[in-house]
Amino acid sequence: MIRKIGILTSGGDSPGMNAAVVSVARCAAMNGIQLMGIKRGYNGLLGLSKNPEDDICALDLETVLDIADQRGTFLRTARCVEFKQPEVRRQAAENLRQLGIDALVVIGGDGSFTGAMYLCELGIPCVGIPGTIDNDLGYTEATLGYDTAVNVCVEAVRSIRATIGFDTALNTACECINRVRETSDSHERASLITVMGRNCGDIAMKTAMATGAEMLIVPEVEWDVDEVAARLNCLIEQGNTRATLVISEHCWDNMKPFDWRKFLNDNGKTVYPGEPISAEYLASILKRKCGGAEVRSTVIGYTQRGAQPTAQDSAFAFEAGHQAVQLLNRGIANQAIGIRHGRVFNMPIIDALSMKKTFDREMYNLINKL
Ligand code: ADP
Ligand code: F6P
């Protein structure tokens, strides 16, 4: 019988994590289960803080009253590298037992789910709620925060494209965007926009689809600097003064060999040994390969994670939280919660983690088609 549940958020924060915590708190209260909030991911299980309240605290309905629509994660999050060590996990399981915590809800991505799976093996029933903006879990159609992240990127890309004069649909035509539009129109610039997503190109792909970007680079597909330059050249020749290239942050791992350092040094730009290639450098290479065309780089960065959760993320979080408590209460553990065809479902974490993410090559080709 489950009397006390722990809940933690782990890995990068994602919009909707708080809504999931509130849902778990409500469902726990409904079932007469006590809820403990564990701070800073798996770190909170290790009792590292001077004040125990900084690691674990009681989460009653009053505590979480106002957090459902808040950005970030109330419980804080962290990456606990030590958790990959079996002896550290054994200690964490022992600490949970000492605290009388019968089961754990883990909100995070594939790394956090792996930690949860190991805790299950140590006798702690766990359920995972997919909270990551990356959408890199193959078993579910969505992860908490992904929808919000895509929306943020779409807004950001739209403002940049609108500055060149094409996006009249943007109704939040604030003074700031109008100013950028004027200056970008004048300068006829191409834009290279970096979005997050770790090794998964989903955010980049959906952002490109939703904004009509003409080029896309993702970690899933090998790409070639010369081909990208040729495509950009072609777009410019066609009279495209707003060419937009969306790139996914880890696309560099799949770049065909290109001696970018030599190229830039030979073309009048100082680059230093040891410096990693960046979007800024790619913009500079494209500029030189495209007859001096202006190419500007914008990295959207953490604005994707700190955004207000969209209705879709919040609603999914709410259902997932409910499902997590129901499962644990029925003695069903080691489960990952997901969404498929619009319905919340669960499956063993081990199977969820083994499901490969599919990549839509057809859409990728369509976006990159000249
Ligand atoms: P995400 O959960 O979003 O994939 P990470 O990959 O950074 O984010 O993982 C978050 C945390 O999950 C790590 O800091 C660590 O505490 C735990 N974790 C990740 N991989 C493992 C693993 N192989 N074994 C145990 N714990 C892990
Ligand atoms: O997993 C979420 C994520 O935002 C990834 O998209 C990104 O690669 C990573 O976290 C960034 O991590 P950090 O917060 O350590 O910079």
Side-chain angles (χ1 to χ4, degrees), residues 10-12 42 78-81 83-84 89 108-115 118 131-132 134 136 198:
S10 163
Y42 290 112
R79 295 200 167 84
C80 172
V81 184
F83 212 68
K84 292 186 179 169
R89 293 195 296 268
D110 55 353
S112 308
F113 278 20
T114 308
Y118 287 137
T132 169
D134 299 339
D136 54 357
R198 215 182 267 193

Side-chain angles (χ1 to χ4, degrees), residues 11-13 79 132-134 196-198 203 249-250 302 305:
D13 65 345
R79 295 200 167 84
T132 169
I133 62 164
D134 299 339
M196 277 187 165
R198 215 182 267 193
I203 293 181
E249 58 180 358
H250 288 314
Y302 294 115
R305 288 210 316 228

Side-chain angles (χ1 to χ4, degrees), residues 8-220:
L8 59 84
T9 55
S10 163
D13 65 345
S14 68
M17 280 179 160
N18 284 329
V21 171
V22 171
S23 173
V24 167
R26 285 200 192 169
C27 199
M30 260 173 63
N31 287 284
I33 297 169
Q34 200 187 339
L35 184 66
M36 303 301 286
I38 291 146
K39 309 260 185 82
R40 300 174 192 85
Y42 290 112
N43 281 318
L45 295 180
L46 304 178
L48 304 172
S49 304
K50 278 190 202 142
N51 181 356
E53 284 270 301
D54 285 339
D55 285 326
I56 296 180
C57 63
L59 276 191
D60 51 29
L61 284 180
E62 222 165 84
T63 321
V64 297
L65 189 67
D66 289 328
I67 69 163
D69 58 347
Q70 273 178 22
R71 298 154 189 245
T73 165
F74 170 79
L75 289 175
R76 305 275 193 259
T77 186
R79 295 200 167 84
C80 172
V81 184
E82 299 82 359
F83 212 68
K84 292 186 179 169
Q85 298 164 22
E87 64 277 16
V88 172
R89 293 195 296 268
R90 272 195 292 276
Q91 185 59 56
E94 189 43 41
N95 292 348
L96 280 165
R97 274 189 274 272
Q98 293 279 324
L99 290 157
I101 295 178
D102 308 306
L104 193 65
V105 177
V106 171
I107 310 177
D110 55 353
S112 308
F113 278 20
T114 308
M117 200 173 65
Y118 287 137
L119 277 178
C120 286
E121 285 171 9
L122 292 166
I124 307 290
C126 294
V127 169
I129 295 180
T132 169
I133 62 164
D134 299 339
N135 208 31
D136 54 357
L137 290 159
Y139 78 97
T140 177
E141 281 168 9
T143 57
L144 294 184
Y146 168 66
D147 188 50
T148 310
V150 169
N151 280 2
V152 169
C153 300
V154 167
E155 283 278 296
V157 175
R158 279 214 176 116
S159 12
I160 288 157
R161 288 170 62 84
T163 59
I164 307 156
F166 279 83
D167 186 17
T168 49
L170 190 67
N171 292 323
T172 51
C174 63
E175 196 186 337
C176 168
I177 289 173
N178 277 332
R179 284 185 192 178
V180 182
R181 173 161 58 194
E182 290 308 318
T183 181
S184 295
D185 262 341
S186 312
H187 289 273
E188 296 182 317
R189 282 175 179 156
S191 281
L192 200 154
I193 296 159
T194 311
V195 300
M196 277 187 165
R198 215 182 267 193
N199 298 312
C200 177
D202 266 31
I203 293 181
M205 169 101 98
K206 292 278 162 58
T207 304
M209 280 159 76
T211 57
E214 294 85 356
M215 291 180 285
L216 170 68
I217 306 180
V218 289
E220 288 90 340

